[in-house]
Amino acid sequence: MSLKKALLIIFVILLVDQISKIYIKTHFQLGESIHVFSWFQIAFIENDGMAWGTKLSDFTTIISDRSAKLILTLFRIVAVTGIAFWLVDVTKKQKSKILVFAISIIFAGALGNIIDSVFYGFLFSDSIMQVATFLPENGGYESVFHGNVVDMLYFPIWNGILPEWLPLFGGKQFSFFDPVFNVADVAISTGIGILIVFNKKAFSD
């Protein structure tokens, strides 16, 4: 797969990701949700940490929430820069299409979430008890590098009590699954999944 095709894939994913996030940000209040199906909801939340809202400051009291957010954003930028070099390298060396495709969608997803973290804080007002506005007169809800990632895809497929015969978890309340995510997250997870499942084909040489 050529670099041009890879860039086209990245552009399409980024476009869908950012359009969906901007729409949610400018049409929903934080915490607002719409039931599309019994197993699918559009539920607007914001994530200021890593996966499932985990933050560096959760593991140590030395780092403040604000510093942890900045470190996370800078780490994401470094990581996506590395992925970009990897993508250019594999296309130049004409590696397998599966590998190029997987790296492309991982890069697109990572870049999509970086855009939120870097720019959304000053581009939008906050969404607490109100619908956010774009480029508010009084400034955004945060500074550069401190924005929150917009999530909205929620699939509460099953919720109930697990059978008593299950070891450790039997009889306990369980839901599948709780995380709320976005298009960028789907792209990253899919790309990583492809590399795991099709490992031999992706790294055939």
Side-chain angles (χ1 to χ4, degrees):
M1 182 185 294
S2 67
L3 183 58
K4 286 184 178 180
K5 290 182 179 179
L7 291 175
L8 179 61
I9 292 170
I10 292 167
F11 174 77
V12 171
I13 293 174
L14 273 177
L15 187 65
V16 174
D17 177 64
Q18 289 301 308
I19 287 175
S20 62
K21 288 174 177 175
I22 292 171
Y23 179 84
I24 293 297
K25 187 71 179 169
T26 55
H27 289 80
F28 285 67
Q29 295 181 19
L30 191 62
E32 186 178 354
S33 63
I34 293 177
H35 286 69
V36 181
F37 303 107
S38 60
W39 46 268
F40 173 54
Q41 297 177 28
I42 301 295
F44 175 30
I45 68 166
E46 289 185 322
N47 185 355
D48 63 347
M50 297 176 282
W52 296 287
T54 306
K55 294 179 285 188
L56 292 176
S57 52
D58 293 337
F59 303 100
T60 176
T61 56
I62 299 176
I63 303 175
S64 67
D65 285 350
R66 188 169 179 80
S67 296
K69 175 63 180 177
L70 178 60
I71 292 170
L72 175 61
T73 301
L74 294 176
F75 172 78
R76 282 172 168 163
I77 293 172
V78 171
V80 83
T81 302
I83 296 171
F85 280 109
W86 187 21
L87 177 61
V88 172
D89 182 62
V90 296
T91 53
K92 282 184 177 180
K93 294 178 179 177
Q94 297 183 336
K95 298 291 185 178
S96 70
K97 291 181 180 180
I98 292 176
L99 178 60
V100 175
F101 177 76
I103 297 173
S104 298
I105 63 177
I106 291 171
F107 175 80
L111 185 58
N113 284 337
I114 284 175
I115 291 172
D116 298 27
S117 298
V118 175
F119 299 110
Y120 276 28
F122 77 90
L123 288 178
F124 297 97
S125 61
D126 70 73
S127 301
I128 302 172
M129 303 296 292
Q130 65 178 359
V131 174
T133 55
F134 181 67
L135 294 178
E137 292 183 5
N138 297 325
Y141 65 87
E142 258 295 356
S143 58
V144 182
F145 295 110
H146 289 89
N148 297 327
V149 176
V150 175
D151 293 324
M152 79 293 289
L153 303 176
Y154 178 40
F155 290 85
I157 296 172
W158 186 83
N159 185 28
I161 306 296
L162 292 174
E164 293 287 348
W165 51 265
L166 281 175
L168 299 177
F169 302 104
K172 294 183 179 179
Q173 184 77 25
F174 179 78
S175 59
F176 181 81
F177 59 92
D178 290 331
V180 182
F181 51 96
N182 56 44
V183 173
D185 296 331
V186 174
I188 294 170
S189 300
T190 303
I192 292 173
I194 289 172
L195 292 180
I196 293 172
V197 175
F198 300 101
N199 183 271
K200 290 184 178 180
K201 289 184 179 180
F203 302 99
S204 56
D205 56 349

